[in-house]
Amino acid sequence: MAQEVYTAFVSRGETFYGTVNVVGTEYITAYEPNRGPGGAVIGILFVGIPEQASFGVVQESIRNQVIGRNVYMYVFDSAGTAIIHPNFEGQNLGHLDFSKQMVDQKEWIMHYDWEGEVKIVGFTYFAPLDWHIAAGADWVDFTGPIDDNVKETGNAAAATEEASASIEEVSKMIENVSTVANKTLQANQKFKLAK
């Protein structure tokens, strides 16, 4: 039994919901304590579905999202493990400052430095799967068009409006991915209850 399941189930007597590795495969699980007449835990009810079967579609959708020229989506858990990332999937980024800030903040838009380049990232937290869902880009992707527009037209207000629209597009994309993940989770729960 995984430590987080043991802690919730055995130590606190609570139902555990979450992703757990079961014999080498990640499962979306629920562990429910069965109680005897005196209230003591006498057994365990386990329900699980392979994570890939359930969220493979959501993961592929995130991987295939294209926003502008250089915006990319990624997902990591609270430990910092990149679940979906174009370059670092499966690696732990939890020791990096920007990752720590995202875990602490849960939802925000922020800038951070990555190998000498300024990045911007919008992100949200999807608690049922412990997913931090993010859309990131080079800051210059937003400021470059503004700089070009100002040089060409001298109109900083119009250029700023254009950049705001791009940032709003990224925010909507993150919200849509979170909504799809939530609907998928709800559908899985209904499926489990129907069985």
Side-chain angles (χ1 to χ4, degrees):
M1 182 178 294
Q3 183 60 47
E4 63 267 28
V5 175
Y6 183 86
T7 300
F9 181 77
V10 177
S11 299
R12 297 191 305 260
E14 300 172 351
T15 300
F16 173 86
Y17 300 98
T19 303
V20 175
N21 187 296
V22 179
V23 195
T25 302
E26 295 295 318
Y27 277 78
I28 298 169
T29 65
Y31 290 83
E32 174 95 17
N34 290 334
R35 298 184 185 278
V41 175
I42 59 170
I44 185 170
L45 172 66
F46 164 80
V47 179
I49 184 168
E51 183 179 57
Q52 192 59 36
S54 182
F55 286 98
V57 173
V58 174
Q59 290 174 328
E60 281 307 306
S61 175
I62 292 170
R63 281 187 190 98
N64 295 329
Q65 286 299 327
V66 176
I67 309 168
R69 285 177 280 163
N70 300 309
V71 178
Y72 57 92
M73 303 284 299
Y74 58 98
V75 177
F76 63 92
D77 63 20
S78 292
T81 302
I83 298 164
I84 301 168
H85 195 286
N87 301 314
F88 300 106
E89 197 160 304
Q91 295 181 33
N92 192 295
L93 307 174
H95 63 285
L96 301 171
D97 288 340
F98 79 88
S99 177
K100 292 175 188 175
Q101 286 180 299
M102 290 170 70
V103 169
D104 291 344
Q105 198 72 32
K106 303 279 189 240
E107 188 169 16
W108 196 244
I109 295 174
M110 69 177 207
H111 301 90
Y112 66 93
D113 182 67
W114 180 260
E115 298 179 348
E117 299 287 329
V118 177
K119 300 282 190 173
I120 183 170
V121 61
F123 56 93
T124 192
Y125 180 63
F126 185 67
L129 293 178
D130 187 31
W131 279 10
H132 297 270
I133 304 168
D138 293 336
W139 181 241
V140 74
D141 289 344
F142 295 99
T143 61
I146 295 171
D147 295 341
D148 293 345
N149 197 339
V150 170
K151 286 176 189 172
E152 290 175 18
T153 67
N155 188 346
T160 302
E161 188 175 313
E162 184 181 318
S164 294
S166 296
I167 292 171
E168 188 174 319
E169 182 182 348
V170 169
S171 295
K172 285 180 184 176
M173 179 59 65
I174 293 170
E175 185 177 319
N176 289 342
V177 168
S178 185
T179 299
V180 169
N182 195 29
K183 286 180 181 178
T184 303
L185 182 65
Q186 289 171 358
N188 284 337
Q189 289 172 341
K190 287 178 186 175
F191 174 74
K192 289 176 194 172
L193 292 175
K195 284 187 160 184

